[in-house]
Amino acid sequence: QVQLVESGGGLVQAGGSLRLSCAASGRAFSSYARGWFRQAPGKEREFVAAIDWGGGSTAYADSVNGRFTISRDNARNTVYLQMNSLKPDDTAVYYCAAAVALRTIARGLADSWGQGTQVTVSS
C-alpha cells in the first residue's frame, strides 16, 4: 500500500529539539491520516501523535502534548513531527504510520508503517 520512509532521528541532549520527517509514496496519500508511534527499549509500541487527511485535526499522547507538534505537507507527501523539550524518556524508535482515519491511529492501529528512526535523548 502506502510506503513510508522516516528520517531525522539522532542523538540530542535533554531539553533539545529534533524534527522527524516521513515521506510517503502512493496514489492515495492525500486521503490518509498520518501519525507517529514509538517503541522504547523493553516497552511496547505506543501512540505519539496523529493528524487527519486535511491537517485540521490532531491528536497527541498525554506524555508529549505541549512538547511535540505534528504537521503535514501534502504537496510533498510528507508528515513531520517537531519534538521540543525532549526528555530521556522520549528515547525510542519512532515509526511513521498511515491509516484511513485519525481515530484509527489514535487507537494504536495503522494500515502502513515505516521502518523507524532512532531518537536518543541524553541527560
Side-chain angles (χ1 to χ4, degrees):
Q1 296 180 342
V2 176
Q3 296 184 352
L4 306 171
V5 180
E6 302 96 335
S7 63
L11 175 65
V12 65
Q13 294 182 355
S17 299
L18 284 174
R19 188 180 72 164
L20 305 183
S21 299
C22 178
S25 62
R27 188 181 302 275
F29 166 77
S30 63
S31 68
Y32 277 72
R34 306 288 297 279
W36 293 90
F37 294 84
R38 67 186 183 186
Q39 187 167 19
K43 304 290 186 179
E44 64 182 15
R45 197 194 315 263
E46 66 174 339
F47 164 76
V48 175
I51 188 167
D52 70 355
W53 55 267
S57 297
T58 58
Y60 298 93
D62 290 342
S63 59
V64 307
N65 195 21
R67 299 187 298 120
F68 291 10
T69 302
I70 188 171
S71 61
R72 66 189 297 168
D73 183 347
N74 286 348
R76 295 185 176 274
N77 294 334
T78 301
V79 64
Y80 305 95
L81 185 67
Q82 178 66 47
M83 305 185 294
N84 298 326
S85 301
L86 283 163
K87 306 174 181 179
D89 285 348
D90 295 319
T91 295
V93 177
Y94 283 71
Y95 298 91
C96 181
V100 174
L102 179 151
R103 296 178 186 271
T104 302
I105 299 175
R107 192 180 301 160
L109 303 174
D111 297 313
S112 299
W113 299 87
Q115 293 301 307
T117 184
Q118 177 70 48
V119 172
T120 302
V121 183
S122 65
S123 60

Short mmCIF file of all heavy atoms in Angstrom, two decimals, residues 13-82:
data_model
loop_
_atom_site.label_atom_id
_atom_site.label_comp_id
_atom_site.label_asym_id
_atom_site.label_seq_id
_atom_site.Cartn_x
_atom_site.Cartn_y
_atom_site.Cartn_z
N GLN A 13 20.60 16.23 23.35
CA GLN A 13 20.60 16.39 24.79
C GLN A 13 19.20 16.73 25.30
O GLN A 13 18.38 17.29 24.58
CB GLN A 13 21.58 17.49 25.21
CG GLN A 13 23.03 17.17 24.94
CD GLN A 13 23.97 18.26 25.41
OE1 GLN A 13 23.54 19.31 25.86
NE2 GLN A 13 25.27 18.01 25.30
N ALA A 14 18.95 16.38 26.54
CA ALA A 14 17.68 16.72 27.16
C ALA A 14 17.42 18.22 27.05
O ALA A 14 18.32 19.03 27.26
CB ALA A 14 17.66 16.29 28.62
N GLY A 15 16.19 18.57 26.71
CA GLY A 15 15.82 19.95 26.51
C GLY A 15 15.97 20.42 25.08
O GLY A 15 15.48 21.50 24.73
N GLY A 16 16.60 19.61 24.25
CA GLY A 16 16.80 19.97 22.86
C GLY A 16 15.63 19.60 21.99
O GLY A 16 14.58 19.17 22.47
N SER A 17 15.83 19.75 20.69
CA SER A 17 14.76 19.54 19.72
C SER A 17 15.24 18.71 18.55
O SER A 17 16.42 18.71 18.20
CB SER A 17 14.24 20.88 19.19
OG SER A 17 13.69 21.68 20.21
N LEU A 18 14.31 18.00 17.95
CA LEU A 18 14.52 17.28 16.71
C LEU A 18 13.25 17.39 15.88
O LEU A 18 12.16 17.52 16.43
CB LEU A 18 14.82 15.80 16.94
CG LEU A 18 16.21 15.40 17.43
CD1 LEU A 18 16.22 13.90 17.74
CD2 LEU A 18 17.26 15.73 16.38
N ARG A 19 13.41 17.30 14.57
CA ARG A 19 12.26 17.22 13.69
C ARG A 19 12.37 15.97 12.85
O ARG A 19 13.33 15.80 12.08
CB ARG A 19 12.15 18.44 12.77
CG ARG A 19 10.85 18.44 11.97
CD ARG A 19 10.71 19.64 11.06
NE ARG A 19 11.61 19.57 9.92
CZ ARG A 19 11.50 20.32 8.83
NH1 ARG A 19 10.51 21.21 8.75
NH2 ARG A 19 12.37 20.20 7.86
N LEU A 20 11.39 15.11 12.98
CA LEU A 20 11.32 13.90 12.17
C LEU A 20 10.49 14.16 10.92
O LEU A 20 9.53 14.93 10.95
CB LEU A 20 10.69 12.76 12.97
CG LEU A 20 11.32 12.41 14.31
CD1 LEU A 20 10.62 11.21 14.92
CD2 LEU A 20 12.82 12.17 14.16
N SER A 21 10.86 13.51 9.84
CA SER A 21 10.12 13.60 8.60
C SER A 21 9.77 12.20 8.13
O SER A 21 10.50 11.24 8.39
CB SER A 21 10.95 14.30 7.51
OG SER A 21 11.28 15.61 7.89
N CYS A 22 8.67 12.09 7.43
CA CYS A 22 8.24 10.82 6.87
C CYS A 22 7.69 11.07 5.49
O CYS A 22 6.63 11.69 5.34
CB CYS A 22 7.19 10.16 7.76
SG CYS A 22 6.56 8.60 7.11
N ALA A 23 8.42 10.61 4.49
CA ALA A 23 7.99 10.73 3.11
C ALA A 23 7.18 9.52 2.71
O ALA A 23 7.50 8.38 3.09
CB ALA A 23 9.20 10.88 2.19
N ALA A 24 6.13 9.75 1.96
CA ALA A 24 5.22 8.69 1.55
C ALA A 24 5.13 8.62 0.04
O ALA A 24 5.23 9.64 -0.65
CB ALA A 24 3.85 8.89 2.16
N SER A 25 4.90 7.43 -0.44
CA SER A 25 4.62 7.23 -1.85
C SER A 25 3.32 6.46 -1.98
O SER A 25 3.00 5.62 -1.13
CB SER A 25 5.76 6.47 -2.54
OG SER A 25 5.92 5.18 -1.99
N GLY A 26 2.58 6.75 -3.02
CA GLY A 26 1.31 6.09 -3.23
C GLY A 26 0.28 7.05 -3.78
O GLY A 26 0.24 8.22 -3.38
N ARG A 27 -0.54 6.57 -4.63
CA ARG A 27 -1.51 7.41 -5.32
C ARG A 27 -2.51 8.04 -4.36
O ARG A 27 -2.95 9.18 -4.59
CB ARG A 27 -2.25 6.57 -6.37
CG ARG A 27 -3.15 7.36 -7.28
CD ARG A 27 -3.85 6.45 -8.25
NE ARG A 27 -2.92 5.68 -9.06
CZ ARG A 27 -2.36 6.12 -10.18
NH1 ARG A 27 -2.66 7.32 -10.65
NH2 ARG A 27 -1.52 5.35 -10.84
N ALA A 28 -2.87 7.33 -3.30
CA ALA A 28 -3.92 7.79 -2.39
C ALA A 28 -3.38 8.45 -1.13
O ALA A 28 -4.10 8.53 -0.13
CB ALA A 28 -4.82 6.61 -2.01
N PHE A 29 -2.15 8.94 -1.14
CA PHE A 29 -1.56 9.51 0.06
C PHE A 29 -2.42 10.59 0.69
O PHE A 29 -2.60 10.62 1.91
CB PHE A 29 -0.18 10.08 -0.24
CG PHE A 29 0.34 10.97 0.86
CD1 PHE A 29 0.86 10.42 2.02
CD2 PHE A 29 0.28 12.35 0.75
CE1 PHE A 29 1.33 11.22 3.05
CE2 PHE A 29 0.75 13.17 1.77
CZ PHE A 29 1.26 12.59 2.92
N SER A 30 -2.94 11.52 -0.11
CA SER A 30 -3.65 12.67 0.43
C SER A 30 -4.91 12.29 1.19
O SER A 30 -5.42 13.08 1.99
CB SER A 30 -3.98 13.66 -0.68
OG SER A 30 -4.86 13.09 -1.63
N SER A 31 -5.43 11.11 0.96
CA SER A 31 -6.64 10.66 1.64
C SER A 31 -6.36 9.98 2.98
O SER A 31 -7.30 9.63 3.69
CB SER A 31 -7.44 9.72 0.75
OG SER A 31 -6.75 8.49 0.55
N TYR A 32 -5.09 9.79 3.32
CA TYR A 32 -4.72 9.08 4.53
C TYR A 32 -4.48 10.02 5.69
O TYR A 32 -3.86 11.07 5.54
CB TYR A 32 -3.43 8.27 4.30
CG TYR A 32 -3.63 6.94 3.63
CD1 TYR A 32 -3.96 6.84 2.30
CD2 TYR A 32 -3.47 5.77 4.37
CE1 TYR A 32 -4.13 5.61 1.70
CE2 TYR A 32 -3.63 4.53 3.77
CZ TYR A 32 -3.96 4.46 2.44
OH TYR A 32 -4.11 3.23 1.84
N ALA A 33 -4.97 9.62 6.84
CA ALA A 33 -4.48 10.22 8.08
C ALA A 33 -3.06 9.72 8.33
O ALA A 33 -2.70 8.63 7.91
CB ALA A 33 -5.39 9.84 9.24
N ARG A 34 -2.28 10.52 9.01
CA ARG A 34 -0.88 10.18 9.28
C ARG A 34 -0.60 10.28 10.76
O ARG A 34 -1.26 11.02 11.49
CB ARG A 34 0.05 11.11 8.51
CG ARG A 34 -0.21 11.18 7.00
CD ARG A 34 0.23 9.89 6.31
NE ARG A 34 1.66 9.68 6.43
CZ ARG A 34 2.58 10.26 5.66
NH1 ARG A 34 2.21 11.11 4.69
NH2 ARG A 34 3.86 10.00 5.86
N GLY A 35 0.43 9.56 11.18
CA GLY A 35 0.75 9.63 12.60
C GLY A 35 2.11 9.06 12.91
O GLY A 35 2.85 8.61 12.03
N TRP A 36 2.43 9.11 14.19
CA TRP A 36 3.70 8.62 14.70
C TRP A 36 3.47 7.73 15.91
O TRP A 36 2.63 8.03 16.77
CB TRP A 36 4.62 9.77 15.10
CG TRP A 36 5.08 10.61 13.96
CD1 TRP A 36 4.47 11.71 13.45
CD2 TRP A 36 6.26 10.40 13.18
NE1 TRP A 36 5.19 12.22 12.40
CE2 TRP A 36 6.29 11.43 12.21
CE3 TRP A 36 7.29 9.45 13.20
CZ2 TRP A 36 7.33 11.53 11.27
CZ3 TRP A 36 8.30 9.56 12.26
CH2 TRP A 36 8.32 10.59 11.32
N PHE A 37 4.23 6.66 15.97
CA PHE A 37 4.31 5.80 17.14
C PHE A 37 5.76 5.72 17.57
O PHE A 37 6.67 6.10 16.83
CB PHE A 37 3.80 4.39 16.81
CG PHE A 37 2.33 4.33 16.49
CD1 PHE A 37 1.88 4.59 15.21
CD2 PHE A 37 1.41 4.01 17.47
CE1 PHE A 37 0.53 4.53 14.90
CE2 PHE A 37 0.06 3.94 17.18
CZ PHE A 37 -0.38 4.21 15.89
N ARG A 38 5.98 5.21 18.76
CA ARG A 38 7.34 4.99 19.21
C ARG A 38 7.41 3.73 20.06
O ARG A 38 6.41 3.31 20.65
CB ARG A 38 7.88 6.19 20.00
CG ARG A 38 7.20 6.44 21.34
CD ARG A 38 7.70 7.72 21.95
NE ARG A 38 7.13 7.96 23.27
CZ ARG A 38 7.31 9.07 23.98
NH1 ARG A 38 8.06 10.05 23.48
NH2 ARG A 38 6.76 9.20 25.17
N GLN A 39 8.59 3.15 20.10
CA GLN A 39 8.82 1.98 20.90
C GLN A 39 10.17 2.12 21.60
O GLN A 39 11.21 2.16 20.96
CB GLN A 39 8.79 0.70 20.06
CG GLN A 39 8.86 -0.56 20.88
CD GLN A 39 8.51 -1.80 20.07
OE1 GLN A 39 8.57 -1.78 18.84
NE2 GLN A 39 8.16 -2.87 20.75
N ALA A 40 10.11 2.21 22.91
CA ALA A 40 11.31 2.34 23.73
C ALA A 40 11.83 0.95 24.09
O ALA A 40 11.09 -0.04 24.05
CB ALA A 40 11.01 3.14 24.99
N PRO A 41 13.10 0.85 24.46
CA PRO A 41 13.66 -0.44 24.85
C PRO A 41 12.85 -1.08 25.97
O PRO A 41 12.58 -0.45 26.99
CB PRO A 41 15.07 -0.10 25.30
CG PRO A 41 15.41 1.15 24.56
CD PRO A 41 14.13 1.92 24.48
N GLY A 42 12.47 -2.33 25.77
CA GLY A 42 11.71 -3.05 26.78
C GLY A 42 10.25 -2.66 26.88
O GLY A 42 9.55 -3.17 27.77
N LYS A 43 9.79 -1.79 26.01
CA LYS A 43 8.40 -1.34 26.04
C LYS A 43 7.69 -1.73 24.75
O LYS A 43 8.32 -2.00 23.73
CB LYS A 43 8.33 0.18 26.21
CG LYS A 43 9.05 0.72 27.43
CD LYS A 43 8.35 0.35 28.71
CE LYS A 43 9.01 1.02 29.90
NZ LYS A 43 8.31 0.69 31.17
N GLU A 44 6.38 -1.74 24.81
CA GLU A 44 5.60 -1.99 23.61
C GLU A 44 5.39 -0.69 22.84
O GLU A 44 5.55 0.42 23.38
CB GLU A 44 4.25 -2.64 23.96
CG GLU A 44 3.33 -1.77 24.77
CD GLU A 44 2.03 -2.48 25.11
OE1 GLU A 44 1.97 -3.71 24.96
OE2 GLU A 44 1.07 -1.81 25.53
N ARG A 45 5.03 -0.82 21.59
CA ARG A 45 4.80 0.34 20.76
C ARG A 45 3.65 1.18 21.31
O ARG A 45 2.63 0.64 21.73
CB ARG A 45 4.49 -0.11 19.33
CG ARG A 45 4.61 0.98 18.29
CD ARG A 45 3.96 0.56 16.98
NE ARG A 45 4.29 -0.79 16.59
CZ ARG A 45 5.24 -1.11 15.73
NH1 ARG A 45 5.98 -0.18 15.16
NH2 ARG A 45 5.46 -2.38 15.43
N GLU A 46 3.82 2.50 21.31
CA GLU A 46 2.78 3.38 21.82
C GLU A 46 2.51 4.52 20.85
O GLU A 46 3.39 4.97 20.11
CB GLU A 46 3.16 3.95 23.19
CG GLU A 46 4.37 4.88 23.17
CD GLU A 46 4.63 5.54 24.52
OE1 GLU A 46 3.70 5.61 25.35
OE2 GLU A 46 5.78 5.98 24.74
N PHE A 47 1.28 4.97 20.88
CA PHE A 47 0.85 6.09 20.07
C PHE A 47 1.51 7.38 20.53
O PHE A 47 1.65 7.62 21.73
CB PHE A 47 -0.67 6.23 20.15
CG PHE A 47 -1.19 7.54 19.67
CD1 PHE A 47 -1.27 7.82 18.31
CD2 PHE A 47 -1.62 8.50 20.56
CE1 PHE A 47 -1.75 9.03 17.85
CE2 PHE A 47 -2.10 9.71 20.13
CZ PHE A 47 -2.17 9.97 18.77
N VAL A 48 1.91 8.23 19.58
CA VAL A 48 2.53 9.52 19.89
C VAL A 48 1.67 10.68 19.40
O VAL A 48 1.31 11.57 20.17
CB VAL A 48 3.94 9.63 19.29
CG1 VAL A 48 4.51 11.03 19.52
CG2 VAL A 48 4.86 8.57 19.88
N ALA A 49 1.35 10.69 18.12
CA ALA A 49 0.61 11.81 17.54
C ALA A 49 -0.04 11.38 16.25
O ALA A 49 0.42 10.44 15.58
CB ALA A 49 1.54 13.01 17.29
N ALA A 50 -1.10 12.08 15.86
CA ALA A 50 -1.79 11.80 14.60
C ALA A 50 -2.35 13.08 14.03
O ALA A 50 -2.61 14.05 14.75
CB ALA A 50 -2.91 10.78 14.81
N ILE A 51 -2.55 13.08 12.72
CA ILE A 51 -3.09 14.23 12.01
C ILE A 51 -4.02 13.72 10.92
O ILE A 51 -3.74 12.71 10.28
CB ILE A 51 -1.96 15.12 11.44
CG1 ILE A 51 -2.51 16.42 10.86
CG2 ILE A 51 -1.14 14.35 10.40
CD1 ILE A 51 -1.42 17.45 10.59
N ASP A 52 -5.14 14.41 10.71
CA ASP A 52 -6.10 13.93 9.74
C ASP A 52 -5.68 14.26 8.32
O ASP A 52 -4.64 14.88 8.08
CB ASP A 52 -7.51 14.46 10.06
CG ASP A 52 -7.66 15.95 9.80
OD1 ASP A 52 -6.68 16.64 9.45
OD2 ASP A 52 -8.80 16.46 9.95
N TRP A 53 -6.51 13.85 7.36
CA TRP A 53 -6.16 13.98 5.95
C TRP A 53 -5.93 15.42 5.51
O TRP A 53 -5.13 15.67 4.60
CB TRP A 53 -7.24 13.34 5.09
CG TRP A 53 -8.62 13.88 5.36
CD1 TRP A 53 -9.53 13.37 6.23
CD2 TRP A 53 -9.22 15.03 4.76
NE1 TRP A 53 -10.68 14.13 6.22
CE2 TRP A 53 -10.51 15.15 5.32
CE3 TRP A 53 -8.80 15.95 3.80
CZ2 TRP A 53 -11.38 16.19 4.95
CZ3 TRP A 53 -9.67 16.98 3.45
CH2 TRP A 53 -10.94 17.09 4.02
N GLY A 54 -6.63 16.36 6.11
CA GLY A 54 -6.51 17.76 5.73
C GLY A 54 -5.60 18.58 6.63
O GLY A 54 -5.36 19.75 6.33
N GLY A 55 -5.13 18.01 7.71
CA GLY A 55 -4.26 18.72 8.63
C GLY A 55 -5.00 19.59 9.64
O GLY A 55 -4.37 20.31 10.41
N GLY A 56 -6.34 19.52 9.64
CA GLY A 56 -7.11 20.36 10.53
C GLY A 56 -7.32 19.82 11.92
O GLY A 56 -7.67 20.58 12.83
N SER A 57 -7.13 18.53 12.10
CA SER A 57 -7.32 17.90 13.40
C SER A 57 -6.08 17.12 13.77
O SER A 57 -5.49 16.44 12.92
CB SER A 57 -8.53 16.97 13.39
OG SER A 57 -9.73 17.69 13.15
N THR A 58 -5.69 17.21 15.02
CA THR A 58 -4.53 16.49 15.52
C THR A 58 -4.86 15.83 16.84
O THR A 58 -5.82 16.21 17.52
CB THR A 58 -3.31 17.41 15.70
OG1 THR A 58 -3.66 18.48 16.60
CG2 THR A 58 -2.88 18.01 14.37
N ALA A 59 -4.06 14.85 17.20
CA ALA A 59 -4.20 14.17 18.48
C ALA A 59 -2.82 13.83 18.99
O ALA A 59 -1.92 13.50 18.21
CB ALA A 59 -5.05 12.91 18.34
N TYR A 60 -2.65 13.91 20.30
CA TYR A 60 -1.36 13.65 20.92
C TYR A 60 -1.51 12.78 22.15
O TYR A 60 -2.51 12.85 22.87
CB TYR A 60 -0.68 14.95 21.35
CG TYR A 60 -0.37 15.89 20.22
CD1 TYR A 60 -1.26 16.89 19.85
CD2 TYR A 60 0.83 15.78 19.52
CE1 TYR A 60 -0.98 17.76 18.81
CE2 TYR A 60 1.11 16.65 18.47
CZ TYR A 60 0.21 17.63 18.12
OH TYR A 60 0.50 18.49 17.08
N ALA A 61 -0.51 11.97 22.39
CA ALA A 61 -0.44 11.27 23.65
C ALA A 61 -0.20 12.26 24.77
O ALA A 61 0.46 13.29 24.58
CB ALA A 61 0.68 10.23 23.62
N ASP A 62 -0.73 11.97 25.94
CA ASP A 62 -0.56 12.88 27.07
C ASP A 62 0.91 13.14 27.39
O ASP A 62 1.27 14.24 27.82
CB ASP A 62 -1.25 12.31 28.31
CG ASP A 62 -2.76 12.34 28.21
OD1 ASP A 62 -3.29 13.09 27.37
OD2 ASP A 62 -3.42 11.61 28.98
N SER A 63 1.75 12.16 27.16
CA SER A 63 3.16 12.28 27.51
C SER A 63 3.91 13.29 26.64
O SER A 63 4.99 13.75 27.03
CB SER A 63 3.84 10.92 27.44
OG SER A 63 3.74 10.37 26.13
N VAL A 64 3.38 13.63 25.48
CA VAL A 64 4.06 14.54 24.57
C VAL A 64 3.26 15.80 24.29
O VAL A 64 3.79 16.73 23.66
CB VAL A 64 4.41 13.86 23.23
CG1 VAL A 64 5.19 12.57 23.48
CG2 VAL A 64 3.16 13.57 22.42
N ASN A 65 2.04 15.85 24.73
CA ASN A 65 1.18 17.00 24.48
C ASN A 65 1.82 18.28 25.02
O ASN A 65 2.23 18.35 26.16
CB ASN A 65 -0.19 16.78 25.11
CG ASN A 65 -1.24 17.74 24.58
OD1 ASN A 65 -1.09 18.31 23.51
ND2 ASN A 65 -2.31 17.91 25.34
N GLY A 66 1.89 19.28 24.15
CA GLY A 66 2.51 20.55 24.52
C GLY A 66 3.97 20.63 24.16
O GLY A 66 4.53 21.74 24.14
N ARG A 67 4.59 19.51 23.88
CA ARG A 67 6.01 19.49 23.51
C ARG A 67 6.23 19.11 22.05
O ARG A 67 7.16 19.60 21.42
CB ARG A 67 6.79 18.52 24.39
CG ARG A 67 6.76 18.88 25.87
CD ARG A 67 7.69 17.97 26.67
NE ARG A 67 7.29 16.56 26.59
CZ ARG A 67 8.05 15.59 26.12
NH1 ARG A 67 9.28 15.84 25.67
NH2 ARG A 67 7.61 14.33 26.11
N PHE A 68 5.38 18.24 21.53
CA PHE A 68 5.50 17.76 20.16
C PHE A 68 4.42 18.37 19.29
O PHE A 68 3.30 18.62 19.76
CB PHE A 68 5.37 16.24 20.09
CG PHE A 68 6.50 15.47 20.70
CD1 PHE A 68 7.49 16.08 21.46
CD2 PHE A 68 6.57 14.09 20.51
CE1 PHE A 68 8.52 15.36 22.02
CE2 PHE A 68 7.60 13.35 21.07
CZ PHE A 68 8.58 13.98 21.82
N THR A 69 4.73 18.59 18.03
CA THR A 69 3.76 19.10 17.07
C THR A 69 3.84 18.28 15.79
O THR A 69 4.91 18.14 15.21
CB THR A 69 4.02 20.58 16.74
OG1 THR A 69 3.96 21.36 17.93
CG2 THR A 69 2.96 21.09 15.77
N ILE A 70 2.71 17.76 15.36
CA ILE A 70 2.64 17.03 14.11
C ILE A 70 2.07 17.94 13.03
O ILE A 70 1.16 18.73 13.29
CB ILE A 70 1.80 15.74 14.25
CG1 ILE A 70 1.91 14.89 12.99
CG2 ILE A 70 0.36 16.05 14.60
CD1 ILE A 70 1.29 13.50 13.15
N SER A 71 2.61 17.85 11.83
CA SER A 71 2.13 18.63 10.71
C SER A 71 2.34 17.83 9.44
O SER A 71 3.04 16.81 9.44
CB SER A 71 2.84 19.98 10.63
OG SER A 71 4.24 19.81 10.44
N ARG A 72 1.74 18.30 8.35
CA ARG A 72 1.91 17.59 7.09
C ARG A 72 1.94 18.57 5.94
O ARG A 72 1.35 19.65 5.99
CB ARG A 72 0.80 16.55 6.90
CG ARG A 72 -0.60 17.12 6.72
CD ARG A 72 -1.66 16.01 6.76
NE ARG A 72 -1.49 15.06 5.66
CZ ARG A 72 -2.12 13.90 5.59
NH1 ARG A 72 -2.94 13.52 6.57
NH2 ARG A 72 -1.91 13.10 4.56
N ASP A 73 2.63 18.16 4.89
CA ASP A 73 2.71 18.91 3.65
C ASP A 73 2.30 17.94 2.55
O ASP A 73 3.11 17.14 2.08
CB ASP A 73 4.13 19.44 3.42
CG ASP A 73 4.24 20.28 2.17
OD1 ASP A 73 3.32 20.28 1.34
OD2 ASP A 73 5.28 20.97 2.02
N ASN A 74 1.04 18.00 2.18
CA ASN A 74 0.53 17.04 1.21
C ASN A 74 1.16 17.21 -0.17
O ASN A 74 1.26 16.24 -0.92
CB ASN A 74 -0.99 17.15 1.11
CG ASN A 74 -1.70 16.57 2.31
OD1 ASN A 74 -1.09 15.88 3.13
ND2 ASN A 74 -2.99 16.85 2.43
N ALA A 75 1.58 18.42 -0.49
CA ALA A 75 2.23 18.64 -1.78
C ALA A 75 3.53 17.86 -1.88
O ALA A 75 3.95 17.49 -2.98
CB ALA A 75 2.49 20.12 -2.00
N ARG A 76 4.17 17.61 -0.75
CA ARG A 76 5.41 16.85 -0.71
C ARG A 76 5.21 15.44 -0.17
O ARG A 76 6.19 14.72 0.02
CB ARG A 76 6.46 17.58 0.13
CG ARG A 76 6.89 18.91 -0.46
CD ARG A 76 8.01 19.54 0.34
NE ARG A 76 8.49 20.77 -0.28
CZ ARG A 76 9.41 20.82 -1.22
NH1 ARG A 76 9.98 19.70 -1.66
NH2 ARG A 76 9.78 21.99 -1.73
N ASN A 77 3.97 15.06 0.08
CA ASN A 77 3.67 13.73 0.61
C ASN A 77 4.47 13.44 1.88
O ASN A 77 4.99 12.33 2.06
CB ASN A 77 3.94 12.65 -0.44
CG ASN A 77 3.01 12.75 -1.63
OD1 ASN A 77 1.90 13.26 -1.52
ND2 ASN A 77 3.47 12.24 -2.77
N THR A 78 4.56 14.42 2.75
CA THR A 78 5.43 14.31 3.91
C THR A 78 4.69 14.74 5.18
O THR A 78 3.95 15.72 5.17
CB THR A 78 6.68 15.17 3.72
OG1 THR A 78 7.39 14.74 2.56
CG2 THR A 78 7.60 15.06 4.93
N VAL A 79 4.93 14.00 6.24
CA VAL A 79 4.44 14.37 7.56
C VAL A 79 5.65 14.61 8.46
O VAL A 79 6.69 13.97 8.30
CB VAL A 79 3.51 13.28 8.15
CG1 VAL A 79 4.26 11.98 8.37
CG2 VAL A 79 2.85 13.77 9.43
N TYR A 80 5.50 15.54 9.40
CA TYR A 80 6.59 15.93 10.27
C TYR A 80 6.19 15.75 11.73
O TYR A 80 5.02 15.82 12.09
CB TYR A 80 6.97 17.39 10.06
CG TYR A 80 7.32 17.73 8.64
CD1 TYR A 80 6.37 18.25 7.78
CD2 TYR A 80 8.61 17.53 8.15
CE1 TYR A 80 6.68 18.56 6.47
CE2 TYR A 80 8.93 17.83 6.84
CZ TYR A 80 7.97 18.35 6.00
OH TYR A 80 8.29 18.66 4.70
N LEU A 81 7.18 15.55 12.56
CA LEU A 81 6.98 15.56 14.00
C LEU A 81 8.07 16.45 14.59
O LEU A 81 9.24 16.06 14.65
CB LEU A 81 7.05 14.16 14.60
CG LEU A 81 6.75 14.08 16.09
CD1 LEU A 81 5.28 14.41 16.35
CD2 LEU A 81 7.09 12.70 16.65
N GLN A 82 7.67 17.65 14.99
CA GLN A 82 8.58 18.56 15.67
C GLN A 82 8.58 18.23 17.15
O GLN A 82 7.54 18.30 17.80
CB GLN A 82 8.15 20.01 15.45
CG GLN A 82 9.03 21.04 16.15
CD GLN A 82 10.43 21.08 15.60
OE1 GLN A 82 10.63 21.12 14.39
NE2 GLN A 82 11.42 21.08 16.49
#
